[in-house]
Amino acid sequence: MATRATHERAGLSRAKVLDAALELLDRVGVAGLSMRKLGAALGVEAMTLYHYVPNKDALLSGLVERAATRAVTVDPRAGWQAMLRGFAAGFRRELLAHPGVVPLVATRPVNTPAALR
């Protein structure tokens, strides 16, 4: 009988799951992204992923969140114009690095607390 890795033993976090989903999205696109494929890429059963994201819709929203939060690289004390310029440049960099996220950004609202921050 095959052993299944639990989320504790697998060393996963929501951030690791989203980062792996970004990598998979870059390879297979939105249509090819599935919880089963993501679980296989992480070496866990797909059901383990539901500890970090409740469903695929939340995973897709999390990918938009991840791209937005990784885009913020400017010190908040720099002033709003510098922050906005830095965010725009960082967001462009993230979208160029992960073009599979572009359709998600265009069709999904930024609605998670982390992305709104």
Side-chain angles (χ1 to χ4, degrees), residues 54-69:
N55 52 46
K56 186 176 178 184
D57 191 54
L59 176 70
L60 297 177
S61 293
L63 293 175
V64 173
E65 169 193 314
R66 197 73 175 139
T69 56

Side-chain angles (χ1 to χ4, degrees), residues 80-117:
W80 72 268
Q81 290 172 325
M83 283 185 60
L84 187 57
R85 194 175 297 112
F87 175 76
F91 199 50
R92 180 179 184 275
R93 181 189 68 244
E94 285 299 313
L95 295 179
L96 288 172
H98 303 289
V101 176
V102 173
L104 299 176
V105 169
T107 58
R108 296 185 156 296
V110 175
N111 60 3
T112 65
L116 291 173
R117 260 191 305 281

Side-chain angles (χ1 to χ4, degrees), residues 11-60:
L12 294 179
S13 66
R14 185 170 184 274
K16 286 181 182 179
V17 168
L18 292 176
D19 286 344
L22 274 175
E23 290 177 22
L24 184 58
L25 180 69
D26 290 342
R27 288 195 314 269
V28 301
V30 175
L33 181 64
S34 71
M35 299 300 265
R36 186 178 305 254
K37 288 178 185 175
L38 180 56
L42 288 165
V44 298
E45 293 290 328
M47 292 305 294
T48 302
L49 302 175
Y50 293 105
H51 177 75
Y52 304 98
V53 289
N55 52 46
K56 186 176 178 184
D57 191 54
L59 176 70
L60 297 177

